Amino acid sequence: MSNAVIEVEHLSKLYELGTIGSRTLRESLERWWYGIRGKEHLLRKVGAKHQTMPADHPQAGPRPNTMWALKDVSFTVREGEVLGIIGRNGAGKSTLLKLLTRITEPTSGRALIYGRVASLLEVGTGFHPELTGRENIYLNGAILGMTRTEVKRKFDEIVAFSEVEQFIDTPVKRYSSGMYVRLAFAVAAHLDPEILVVDEVLAVGDAEFQKKCLGKMGDVAKGGRTVLFVSHNMASIGNLCGSVIHLDHGRIADIGESESVISSYLSLSREANQFFANPSERKGDHRVRIDDFGISPPHPRTGSPLKCTLDIQADERAAEDITVDFSISFVTEYGVKIFQLHSGHVNRGIAVKPGRSRIIAEIDSLPLTPGSYRVNLFSGSGGVLYDWIPEAYALIVETGSISDGIYVDNRGYPVVIRSKWSRTPD
Ligand SMILES: Nc1ncnc2c1ncn2[C@@H]1O[C@H](COP(=O)(O)OP(=O)(O)O)[C@@H](O)[C@H]1O
Ligand SMILES: [Mg+2]
């Protein structure tokens, strides 16, 4: 068995809520980072709300208004291992990475790291805003203990990967968040770290760049380096990571081989066959609001007819009918879009009366193979978004048939369509 490169023992981190303590350079950088991302800074947000922590909260700390962002976490990472870290927002993923990269100190417990760590975290650590891209590359190399010559050798590769060539002599504070992440990732991944730590910042980049980064992380891993990767994208985690930690409320809920941890996380994450208004992700002006969604039969099978109902509420103040498009879209558990039932594909908008009504969409044969899926709901018109509810429903499709009782299995393909087969010459 290969050597342990990270040993985490009973690691805990307690945060004070409602305090605004921005003292270290790193925290200032963090503020600046949230600034360029147009995001409210976490500390400011926590402070401004005078958030309180109920004493019976699972993460309540020993004193009033303290919380355990991470509590009693222990695990070992071996050389060459690619470890994914998953969990809901606030589960403690970023806190764990910040402890491992020494950006913040643990309250108790310890993390032993054997090797040079390069990291790309949510926060703008490692880059100095006043320095140019070029200077930051050298600075980071120096932090990683590389000589100028060594960095020089990697320089062109980094710049090419980051695609910020034109701006390489511009202070990074003038970079867009996308440019910043590109360069930061390129630096972290190319400076030959022994351990590469990547938080979900990649979500900022476009799909193309994300793909490139995932590919690069795969290369780093194949080169025998250790990679720690936080993401909400279960497909990326599943592809890249051999093992996964599922964090929940600051504790390890599950740890092990990636496929099993991911699938139990996904099945936990939402009650099946139940409408979920998803308030934190929902968008739109709610002129035509979706109040409920249901399906019939309640336990559909592959190939069975499916009827979907949308209970909607159109603005009562509207003087006349509102013309609306609806969409019911199906995605895999991993977030891959499969197909949508879109009223606009078959109608020129549906006229709905102010007040409540029910919209029905039907298909003859459900083309999904057995498994779990998510349903996203949409209402809108002419580019105006009335309501968008991602992951409004978790759909379980049972084994069924598209032809004379021959059962269809999944084999990794979410969609099945009827096909005719023949042989020639006959
Ligand atoms: N500097 C901080 N001060 C106070 N609370 C914090 C601070 N950083 C994180 N937290 C809190 O710790 C918890 C874990 O946060 P985080 O590690 O960022 O979660 P994740 O990355 O899994 O979304 C959250 O409840 C968050 O609000
Ligand atoms: Mg995070």
Side-chain angles (χ1 to χ4, degrees):
M1 200 182 251
S2 51
N3 297 331
V5 287
I6 300 175
E7 284 177 312
V8 174
E9 296 168 356
H10 306 291
L11 199 61
S12 300
K13 177 72 183 179
L14 188 72
Y15 277 125
E16 304 265 346
L17 300 177
T19 54
I20 308 178
S22 173
R23 294 206 171 76
T24 66
L25 169 65
R26 282 188 159 138
E27 276 167 339
S28 329
L29 283 167
E30 194 170 333
R31 282 186 175 229
W32 161 79
W33 167 246
Y34 277 95
I36 63 167
R37 289 178 74 188
K39 259 196 172 181
E40 208 183 347
H41 185 266
L42 187 61
L43 295 178
R44 218 182 295 145
K45 201 160 67 190
V46 170
K49 276 195 189 155
H50 298 293
Q51 206 178 37
T52 52
M53 172 67 39
D56 58 355
H57 190 276
Q59 280 167 280
R63 297 185 301 281
N65 270 359
T66 57
M67 71 164 289
W68 293 107
L70 212 62
K71 183 76 174 136
D72 200 21
V73 165
S74 303
F75 61 92
T76 302
V77 185
R78 305 209 162 267
E79 193 177 346
E81 199 175 329
V82 182
L83 175 74
I85 301 164
I86 60 176
R88 292 174 179 216
N89 287 334
K93 306 179 296 294
S94 298
T95 302
L96 175 60
L97 296 192
K98 286 185 208 164
L99 288 167
L100 294 178
T101 51
R102 312 278 188 233
I103 282 159
T104 184
E105 289 296 311
T107 307
S108 59
R110 59 181 190 165
L112 302 169
I113 316 283
Y114 309 98
R116 281 182 290 122
V117 181
S119 61
L120 179 58
L121 303 187
E122 266 184 335
V123 295
T125 46
F127 271 16
H128 194 294
E130 301 294 338
L131 300 182
T132 65
R134 183 188 302 274
E135 290 161 342
N136 269 299
I137 295 176
Y138 281 99
L139 177 67
N140 271 268
I143 292 171
L144 279 170
M146 299 172 76
T147 65
R148 226 180 143 76
T149 325
E150 283 174 305
V151 179
K152 215 169 185 165
R153 260 206 310 273
K154 300 275 176 186
F155 188 86
D156 291 342
E157 213 182 324
I158 292 173
V159 175
F161 189 95
S162 69
E163 298 166 21
V164 298
E165 213 148 0
Q166 269 179 286
F167 305 95
I168 201 65
D169 292 308
T170 305
V172 298
K173 69 177 179 193
R174 298 203 201 289
Y175 282 21
S176 69
S177 53
M179 285 159 61
Y180 180 93
V181 167
R182 279 161 191 271
L183 185 62
F185 180 87
V187 167
H190 287 85
L191 288 182
D192 271 343
E194 281 152 332
I195 303 165
L196 176 62
V197 175
V198 180
D199 204 339
E200 52 197 345
V201 275
L202 293 182
V204 196
D206 55 53
E208 193 89 349
F209 188 71
Q210 283 180 32
K211 230 167 111 183
K212 198 161 126 180
C213 292
L214 290 167
K216 182 67 196 169
M217 281 194 276
D219 293 346
V220 172
K222 276 188 214 110
R225 304 308 171 105
T226 307
V227 180
L228 265 62
F229 177 44
V230 168
S231 177
H232 271 116
N233 185 330
M234 293 304 136
S236 313
I237 291 272
N239 284 334
L240 199 66
C241 306
S243 47
V244 171
I245 291 179
H246 166 200
L247 282 180
D248 185 40
H249 289 106
R251 293 167 191 268
I252 293 186
D254 198 3
I255 179 168
E257 183 255 324
S258 63
E259 204 168 311
S260 77
V261 178
I262 291 171
S263 71
S264 73
Y265 169 70
L266 289 171
S267 63
L268 272 178
S269 63
R270 189 89 7 101
E271 292 286 329
N273 298 352
Q274 188 173 299
F275 175 70
F276 176 68
N278 204 351
S280 64
E281 304 285 322
R282 190 170 184 167
K283 290 198 177 80
D285 65 8
H286 290 182
R287 213 160 109 86
V288 178
R289 199 179 65 211
I290 300 163
D291 286 333
D292 201 3
F293 173 80
I295 55 165
S296 167
H299 301 289
R301 298 176 171 282
T302 300
S304 70
L306 184 76
K307 180 167 142 183
C308 304
T309 49
L310 290 163
D311 287 317
I312 58 158
Q313 166 87 40
D315 194 342
E316 302 270 11
R317 293 161 302 183
E320 50 190 39
D321 291 0
I322 306 172
T323 304
V324 198
D325 281 324
F326 294 97
S327 160
I328 302 165
S329 48
F330 297 79
V331 300
T332 67
E333 282 194 312
Y334 295 107
V336 179
K337 296 170 182 172
I338 316 172
F339 69 91
Q340 60 174 335
L341 308 178
H342 196 303
S343 62
H345 296 164
V346 285
N347 291 67
R348 298 206 183 278
I350 296 177
V352 301
K353 299 205 177 319
R356 293 178 180 284
S357 41
R358 172 168 280 191
I359 304 294
I360 296 167
E362 289 178 272
I363 54 174
D364 297 334
S365 170
L366 181 63
L368 294 173
T369 58
S372 322
Y373 302 89
R374 308 245 180 268
V375 179
N376 303 329
L377 303 174
F378 160 91
S379 72
S381 180
V384 182
L385 182 63
Y386 297 153
D387 205 354
W388 164 247
I389 319 177
E391 307 196 351
Y393 200 84
L395 173 71
I396 310 273
V397 177
E398 319 261 357
T399 308
S401 169
I402 56 164
S403 183
D404 300 329
I406 300 169
Y407 285 105
V408 173
D409 54 18
N410 178 304
R411 311 233 169 208
Y413 293 94
V415 164
V416 59
I417 52 177
R418 274 189 82 138
S419 47
K420 282 193 192 127
W421 294 78
S422 53
R423 183 186 60 200
T424 160
D426 199 26

